[in-house]
Each structure stands twice: as structure tokens, then as C-alpha cells.
Amino acid sequence: MNPTLLIVGFVWPEPKSSAAGSRMMQLIEVFQSANYDITFASACSKTDHAFDLLSIGVKTESIVLNDSSFDAFVKNLDPTIVLFDRFMVEEQFGWRVAEQCPNALRLLDTEDLHSLRKGRQQALKDNKSFDKSYLQNDTAKREIASILRCDLSFIISQVEIEILVSQFNIDERLLYYLPFLLDPISSETQKGSPKFKDRNHFVTIGNFMHPPNFDAVLFLKTDIWPLIRKELPKAEMHIYGSYVSEKAKQLHNEKDGFLIKGFAEDVNQVMGDAKVCLAPIRFGAGLKGKLIDAMVNGTPCVTTTIGAEGMYGTLKDTNAFIEDDVKGFAKQAAELYSNKIYWNGKQKNGFMIINTLYDKAIYTKDVLHTIDALLSDIPTHRQQHFLGQILMHHTMQSTKYMSKWIEEKNTEKV
């Protein structure tokens, strides 16, 4: 009998819309490689961009927030492992899993550290330097509590592991570094990637509902693109992404070559056609999906320190120029766009980085081994991390009765 995995999703995976969607599909592939029977459940409504999980043998279940129907569902399923997609989902359903299936291993995929992103966003808004006071925000209190309640958390960036350990004193045994998991890029594919002379224009891509992405597009429009356009009057800025807001549509300007293109059906096509990817990210966390897409498709980049954070490990040769100054960013973009030698070197670096740092074969076997070791003795692991038990005890009381109160209120309305 195969082991079972229940994934409780924040949303239904949309790999064409967001890096988070691609990440979830990669996690599913890891567990399928170990013959897990997988059920994906979410309280979110499905959109037209949601991946058809049934097509790859993953069962699906629609669940309801603040409703005891989930208790019966999870108890009947009796999963070996429950994976929570982001801390907000663990807050909602973690106590129910602990109550109904106390022997299930509880995993958390943080996606990125939301508290780090929120703190940086607030510091930018305040026009102040980011420091510990911005990091220790209310979101951090919730996120760290969730990490402590779970048996193991997948962290996508080594920088974030360092922050969790050094700033929040999290035991490293509760954390597992698991970046994007990709197929290696063969030498044939590298040789077949569109060349410098066959590419045109600048590109950026990202879900417009994600605040760092919209901020980056706005920053491009107001501060950076006018300087690039002055140097390269025939170049265009092509901006792709799902869920384009009205505010974003208003940035479209054909005269200036600033084009809001909207949803990209094939990210590899639009990235492979472009000469340079721009990612002027001013706040954020985790790994940047657009930079991964750029490297996979041989498209050199210009990004910021925050954009590059965690992307290159200890490697010194990157696929990007890293620049935080507006004038410097624009200058590097124009230089990379015009200089074939620079461009070819950055493209080659990108392929090397994907094969060195993101090869899924490097991580899949080890993460499954780590999980098997935890499954072999969950009680001992939890005894070693008693603080998590304390937090689960108190969370179960507060969240449980709040949820039951909401459920009762909803029943009264009916």
C-alpha cells in the first residue's frame, strides 16, 4: 500500500501564472517519484489558469474554511504526510490535522518568507533602511509560530535559512533548503537557444497580483525605462504577467515602447525571444521565478540586490548585472543589450547556474530520505522540539474556538 500525501493548497496551482504554481508542481513530482498517492485540497476557487491535477493522477478535493467537514475528510483520508502551502493555510487547518491525524507528518512549504517581504515593503514605503525592527513584524510572529508547529519546513532560499537561524533562533533541524527543482539544460539545448542577433527588446514577467512585481513595473515605467529608451530609442519593454489590473493597463504606452502584454501562454517563447530580462525588484523574498525563466531560456538579466538574493549561492559568475542605483541600472541594461561579448558570457553563466544549483536530481533523493527518517520516529522528533508542541497546544485552543464560533455564526445565517 502506497504512502499518502495530502497537500492543503492556498490556491490551485497555476504554473503558467506564478513561480509559486511552478514550485507546487515540482513538489508534487518529488512525491510522485516515491509513489505517494496524492490528494490536493483547497478552499480557493479554481481559475481558468489552474492546472488539471487529475491529468497527472492527483486527486482533488474542495474544502471549506472554518467548517468541521474538513475534520471528517482528513480523518477518513488518514494521510501519511500533510503538506501545508504557506503559513496561512497551516494556521487554518494545522490544528484540525493535529487533532484528527496526530501521527501524520506535518510539512510546511513557506514559498518565501512573507514576513521578510512585508518588512522590506514597509521599509521602502517609509523610505528607511531595512533592519530588525522591520523584520520582527506581526506577520513574522505568525509565520515563525507556523514553522515551529510543523515537523519540517521547506525553505526556498539559503539566505532565508540564515535569517531564520540567526535572527529568530530556529533550530536548523526544522528547516530544509529546497530551491526550484529543474531539469538540467543539455549542451544541445544550450546551442539551440536563440542567439544575440536573433533577439530583440527587453522583457519582464510576473503575476500582477504580487506586490513586488507591480512595484517593479511601476519603477521601470517612472524611473528606469526613460533612461534606457534615451540610449536605445528603438528598443521596447515587453511586460507579461497574469491578472493585469486596471492600474497596470494604464501604464501601457506604445509611443514610449512600454507595452503591457498580459498573460503569457508560453513563458519560454516570450523569454527566448527577448534580448534582456529586467527585474528591478525593490522588495521581496525567496527566489525570483522570472530570473529562473531567464536563465533556462538563455536570457541575460539586470536586477537588484534583492532580486539576486539567494539566486546564485556562492557562485561569482552570474547571468545578471546587479545594480540598485537607477542610473547604474539603466546603463547596465543598455550595455548588456548592445554588447554581444557581455551578453554571450552572461548567457553561458545562466546555463551553468541552472545545472549547478537547481538540478532536481541533486535534491529529490535527499529530501525523500530526510522525510523517511522523520516518519520513522515522529514522537522523538517532536520531543526534541517541545516549543512546537506548546505552540500547537495554545493555537489549537485559540484557533479552534474562533473557527467553531465562525462556523456557528455561518450556521445561524442559514
Side-chain angles (χ1 to χ4, degrees), residues 1-6 27-39 56-59 79-82 105 107 367-373 375:
M1 189 171 172
N2 292 340
T4 55
L5 168 69
L6 169 63
L27 293 177
I28 288 172
E29 185 180 344
V30 167
F31 285 97
Q32 283 188 323
S33 74
N35 297 314
Y36 275 77
D37 289 332
I38 303 175
T39 298
I56 58 170
V58 175
K59 304 180 190 74
T80 312
I81 299 173
V82 178
L105 188 71
L107 304 179
V367 70
L368 290 170
H369 174 75
T370 300
I371 289 168
D372 285 342
L375 285 170

Side-chain angles (χ1 to χ4, degrees), residues 47-92:
T47 72
D48 294 339
H49 300 315
F51 186 86
D52 180 9
L53 292 170
L54 295 174
S55 69
I56 58 170
V58 175
K59 304 180 190 74
T60 61
E61 187 79 23
S62 291
I63 53 178
V64 182
L65 294 172
N66 304 306
D67 196 290
S68 55
S69 60
F70 179 84
D71 299 351
F73 158 68
V74 76
K75 188 170 185 177
N76 181 61
L77 185 64
D78 192 25
T80 312
I81 299 173
V82 178
L83 172 63
F84 301 104
D85 171 25
R86 288 166 261 202
F87 79 89
M88 304 84 80
V89 170
E90 189 278 334
E91 284 182 331
Q92 285 285 346

Side-chain angles (χ1 to χ4, degrees), residues 76-139:
N76 181 61
L77 185 64
D78 192 25
T80 312
I81 299 173
V82 178
L83 172 63
F84 301 104
D85 171 25
R86 288 166 261 202
F87 79 89
M88 304 84 80
V89 170
E90 189 278 334
E91 284 182 331
Q92 285 285 346
F93 296 101
W95 66 271
R96 293 184 182 275
V97 170
E99 195 171 67
Q100 302 299 325
C101 305
N103 297 321
L105 188 71
R106 298 189 297 272
L107 304 179
L108 173 66
D109 185 43
T110 58
E111 292 291 350
D112 61 25
L113 279 186
H114 292 62
S115 50
L116 178 61
R117 171 159 43 89
K118 288 279 183 69
R120 285 173 168 166
Q121 184 176 7
Q122 189 60 50
L124 178 65
K125 186 178 178 181
D126 295 343
N127 197 26
K128 292 184 178 179
S129 298
F130 177 77
D131 58 22
K132 188 179 286 189
S133 66
Y134 282 105
L135 179 62
Q136 295 181 348
N137 51 52
D138 287 346
T139 300

Side-chain angles (χ1 to χ4, degrees), residues 202-206 208 213 216-217 220 237-241 258-259 261-262 270-271 274 276-281 290:
F202 293 90
V203 71
T204 193
I205 190 167
F208 280 88
N213 288 337
V217 171
L220 264 175
M237 183 71 235
H238 293 183
I239 297 159
Y240 291 88
F258 197 86
L259 310 178
K261 295 280 192 173
V270 300
M271 194 62 79
V276 175
C277 173
L278 301 182
I281 298 165
K290 58 180 67 62

